Amino acid sequence: MEYKTNVMRILDQRKIQYNHYTYADTDAISGIEVAIILGENPAQVFKTLVTTGKSKRNYVFMIPVAEELDLKKAAATVGEKSIEMLKSRDLLPLTGYVHGGCSPIGMKKGLMTVIDVSAKQFDSIICSAGKIGYQVELKITDLAQLIQLELADITIGHI
């Protein structure tokens, strides 16, 4: 039997269709390297970033792997004065995931998730399956059945 992550088990339980990919046997580190190894468009492969607002609330932002989060746009989207990236040491206790293997699905706490509006150009997006070396591809409408999400322009450079 092939390896299943908790994210894949959640998707199976909810009968949500997905494709899964692995790059566990490669040297890929960056999201762009992962996209290239998987033969996927980097604009369709999303990284999951966890932040802390001035209010001390946490938020999740998903952006294409080649893009950078615009902290001002992100803060405005969630109604915060400012946000900053969550410290790496705080990621596992908050989400249950390690840096590089953080998925919006199956986090310890249900956090508000904002996905960059560029995701709308694809039928599906690819994100971490909750473990370094594993990715899942699913429709945003299916992802919305699992987590509270919204779409917004949150990357640097978009007008």
Side-chain angles (χ1 to χ4, degrees):
M1 185 186 114
E2 65 188 64
Y3 181 80
K4 288 236 183 219
T5 66
N6 284 341
V7 169
M8 293 175 200
R9 285 192 274 280
I10 290 167
L11 293 170
D12 289 344
Q13 279 175 343
R14 298 290 295 272
K15 302 202 179 343
I16 291 175
Q17 223 171 345
Y18 67 95
N19 292 320
H20 63 278
Y21 308 99
T22 184
Y23 61 95
D25 55 355
T26 73
D27 296 338
I29 295 176
S30 78
I32 296 171
E33 290 172 328
V34 170
I36 291 167
I37 284 170
L38 296 178
E40 298 295 339
N41 178 350
Q44 191 176 359
V45 180
F46 282 66
K47 55 188 169 187
T48 304
L49 305 172
V50 183
T51 63
T52 304
K54 196 159 181 64
S55 69
K56 302 292 182 222
R57 279 186 148 124
N58 296 105
Y59 304 94
V60 175
F61 295 94
M62 295 179 66
I63 62 172
V65 294
E67 300 291 331
E68 198 176 326
L69 182 65
D70 184 318
L71 295 173
K72 283 187 174 25
K73 287 182 187 176
T77 300
V78 295
E80 288 279 358
K81 280 189 171 71
S82 65
I83 59 165
E84 60 184 33
M85 296 304 297
L86 185 72
K87 307 245 181 306
S88 270
R89 70 173 181 269
D90 298 330
L91 189 63
L92 183 61
L94 178 70
T95 66
Y97 293 123
V98 298
H99 184 76
C102 190
S103 177
I105 302 165
M107 286 190 178
K108 283 182 177 180
K109 292 187 170 136
L111 301 176
M112 175 64 199
T113 301
V114 180
I115 302 175
D116 188 65
V117 70
S118 65
K120 283 204 280 196
Q121 66 187 305
F122 302 105
D123 290 336
S124 59
I125 62 168
I126 300 166
C127 64
S128 174
K131 184 170 173 61
I132 295 173
Y134 297 87
Q135 301 271 305
V136 290
E137 177 180 2
L138 71 162
K139 293 179 178 164
I140 293 176
T141 51
D142 288 337
L143 185 56
Q145 293 178 43
L146 299 169
I147 62 170
Q148 179 188 352
L149 67 82
E150 68 178 67
L151 295 172
D153 173 13
I154 53 172
T155 56
I156 290 176
H158 295 161
I159 298 170

